[in-house]
Amino acid sequence: MYNPTVARLTYRALLGRRRALILFALPALLIVIATAVRFFNGADDQIAADVLGGFALATMVPLIGVIAGTGAIGPEIDDGSIVYLLSKPVKRPAIIFTKLIVAIAVTMVFSAVPTFAAGMILNGNGQQVAVAYTVAALVASIAYSALFLLLGTVSRHAVVIGLVYALVWEALFGSLISGAKTLSVQQWALAVAQKVSGEGLVTSDVGLPAAVALLVGVTVLATWYAGQKLRTLKLAGEE
């Protein structure tokens, strides 16, 4: 199911100059914020949890997921270069699976690693805050990558839709409306982080069993459906 050639082409597309600048800018901003907060407030477990939850998990991780997930396939569909892959003897679900693995890897590296570094800067991993939010970033990276890869497969406006989901649904509605919280990848990831962190520092409105089931279910269904949609793409002259 994993195709090295597809993976290499996808990595090259995702880590091109423009996308790489954005991918590096968000983690760099998180480190700057963490350093400034630590300098002015000292080590504080609650402040560390607020910064990592408010910026790293709620903003940085979904935005990187949008860039990596949609960028793994969306541009190829838009400019027609996906025809090159579809004309090769590679199963279309294998293309989706390979691109998902690449998107997950990129999202994890550019979100989980800086999240851990920021946590260490903020409070030296007191109350396991850095580890908790790093785990949350890792599991969220998987679900976000699958969701946004699906968007990139089914819509030419995947980036816009992904940004609306990340910035409006997750950051706004997901933090204010109780019903929306249940359908929030962020809340599912927080449920996992809650089991790792110190008492009361990380909270989620979704129970751990439900969160794990939703994370797995959304990832599997989004990946499967993206593979099905790619099957329906027809090459020129293909009957």
Side-chain angles (χ1 to χ4, degrees):
M1 289 295 288
Y2 181 83
N3 187 285
T5 301
V6 174
R8 184 174 66 254
L9 293 172
T10 306
Y11 275 119
R12 185 181 301 171
L14 286 179
L15 300 178
R17 184 175 301 175
R18 287 190 300 175
R19 285 193 180 87
L21 287 175
I22 301 175
L23 288 172
F24 279 105
L26 290 169
L29 180 58
L30 174 62
I31 297 300
V32 170
I33 292 173
T35 302
V37 170
R38 176 63 185 265
F39 179 79
F40 288 109
N41 294 283
D44 185 287
D45 296 340
Q46 187 59 59
I47 291 177
D50 292 341
V51 171
L52 295 180
F55 182 77
L57 190 61
T59 303
M60 184 186 73
V61 179
L63 286 180
I64 291 176
V66 170
I67 296 169
T70 61
I73 196 169
E76 291 178 291
I77 293 178
D78 291 341
D79 63 21
S81 60
I82 190 68
V83 170
Y84 170 78
L85 284 179
L86 299 183
S87 65
K88 300 299 179 181
V90 181
K91 292 182 178 180
R92 298 185 184 189
I95 294 175
I96 290 295
F97 181 78
T98 301
K99 288 182 174 294
L100 175 63
I101 295 300
V102 173
I104 290 172
V106 171
T107 306
M108 284 182 171
V109 169
F110 285 94
S111 60
V113 173
T115 295
F116 180 75
M120 295 302 292
I121 292 171
L122 286 164
N123 74 334
N125 196 37
Q127 298 293 308
Q128 296 291 305
V129 169
V131 172
Y133 277 100
T134 299
V135 171
L138 288 171
V139 297
S141 294
I142 299 173
Y144 281 132
S145 296
L147 279 173
F148 297 134
L149 180 65
L150 172 61
L151 277 179
T153 306
V154 302
S155 174
R156 291 182 178 271
H157 307 289
V159 174
V160 175
I161 298 172
L163 289 174
V164 169
Y165 175 83
L167 298 178
V168 178
W169 183 269
E170 289 273 4
L172 183 59
F173 293 158
S175 62
L176 299 177
I177 303 174
S178 57
K181 293 179 180 180
T182 306
L183 301 177
S184 167
V185 175
Q186 178 188 341
Q187 291 296 322
W188 305 341
L190 283 173
V192 179
Q194 186 176 1
K195 296 296 293 184
V196 180
S197 69
E199 186 68 27
L201 288 174
V202 183
T203 59
S204 173
D205 290 277
V206 181
L208 182 60
V212 172
L214 287 166
L215 284 166
V216 173
V218 164
T219 301
V220 172
L221 287 175
T223 304
W224 173 80
Y225 191 60
Q228 295 303 305
K229 293 299 292 183
L230 195 62
R231 284 178 183 271
T232 66
L233 287 178
K234 299 292 186 181
L235 301 178
E238 187 177 74
E239 298 295 340

